[in-house]
């Protein structure tokens, strides 16, 4: 579907390029006064330059402010720290049940080779991820917004048992309620 769209866009762009070449080659024979053309395109170039710079500044400001590198704003004491260790071929976690709305910091490392720590929701949507590397601890901050069963999957091919590295974790509703909210 997307590939077809990409093909169509490519064909249209190639056709447009061809048209431009055709027009230029037809005009090439004619003599024209160069001065006004130069002035006109210098003006257009200046406007183009200013618009490009504005777009880039805007995009930089908007995208930088959304980088997930900031620390959680909550007081450090309210952040739940969870230790995660990757092994060939399973995950070991200091905690496997969580509560909606509690900010969590996963401290992710590996006890053998590099694994990929990925948190997926029930629709197999990736919510957060980092590398699980031997000798390092990578921190991921995440706050679950819905109760339910989530899955930890390995995102880095780590040898024959890679696909077995699945761990289910449970997120319970706030206020210590029952698990009916997850359905
Ligand atoms: Cu661990 Cu793939």
């Amino acid at each position: 579907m997307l590939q077809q769209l990409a093909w169509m866009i490519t064909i249209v762009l190639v056709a447009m390029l061809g048209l431009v070449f055709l027009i230029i080659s037809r005009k090439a024979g004619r003599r024209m006064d160069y001065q006004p053309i130069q002035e006109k395109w210098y003006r257009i170039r200046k406007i183009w330059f200013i618009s490009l710079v504005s777009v880039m500044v805007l995009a930089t400001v908007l995208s930088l402010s959304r980088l997930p590198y900031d620390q959680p704003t909550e007081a450090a004491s309210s952040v739940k720290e969870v230790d995660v260790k990757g092994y060939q071929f399973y995950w070991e976690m200091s905690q496997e049940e969580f509560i909606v709305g509690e900010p969590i910091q996963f401290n992710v490392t590996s006890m053998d080779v590099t694994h990929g720590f990925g948190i997926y929701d029930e629709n197999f949507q990736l919510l957060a991820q980092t590398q699980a590397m031997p000798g390092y601890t990578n921190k991921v901050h995440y706050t679950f917004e819905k109760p339910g069963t989530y899955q930890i999957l390995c995102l880095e091919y780590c040898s024959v048992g890679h696909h077995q590295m699945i761990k289910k974790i449970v997120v319970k509703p706030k206020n210590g309620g029952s698990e009916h909210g997850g359905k």
Side-chain angles (χ1 to χ4, degrees), residues 6-88:
W7 262 113
M8 304 245 258
I9 291 172
T10 309
I11 288 168
V12 169
L13 287 179
V14 168
M16 278 164 65
L17 204 65
L19 202 69
V20 169
F21 269 104
L22 206 70
I23 292 168
I24 290 172
S25 69
R26 283 181 147 232
K27 277 195 173 177
R30 266 183 264 159
R31 289 191 154 274
M32 281 173 97
D33 191 9
Y34 185 59
Q35 185 71 22
I37 299 175
Q38 190 185 40
E39 273 169 19
K40 182 182 154 200
W41 284 97
Y42 273 170
R43 230 177 308 128
I44 291 177
R45 188 167 73 173
K46 202 189 278 173
I47 294 168
W48 178 239
F49 175 75
I50 291 168
S51 4
L52 272 189
V53 168
S54 335
V55 166
M56 277 189 326
V57 167
L58 201 70
T60 306
V61 168
L62 285 179
S63 55
L64 274 184
S65 67
R66 296 197 62 176
L67 272 187
Y69 296 152
D70 56 343
Q71 297 293 313
T73 46
E74 288 87 354
S77 59
S78 75
V79 176
K80 180 146 276 168
E81 287 202 36
V82 179
D83 293 322
V84 181
K85 288 176 185 161
Y87 294 84
Q88 286 172 316

Side-chain angles (χ1 to χ4, degrees), residues 2 19 30 38 43 90 126-127 150 169:
L2 274 177
L19 202 69
R30 266 183 264 159
Q38 190 185 40
R43 230 177 308 128
Y90 59 96
L126 182 62
L127 304 174
Y150 292 73
I169 57 173

Side-chain angles (χ1 to χ4, degrees), residues 87 89 91 114-116 154-159 161-163 165:
Y87 294 84
F89 299 97
W91 295 105
T114 299
H115 301 277
C154 185
L155 299 180
E156 180 88 42
Y157 183 68
C158 53
S159 168
H162 164 68
H163 62 284
M165 292 190 64

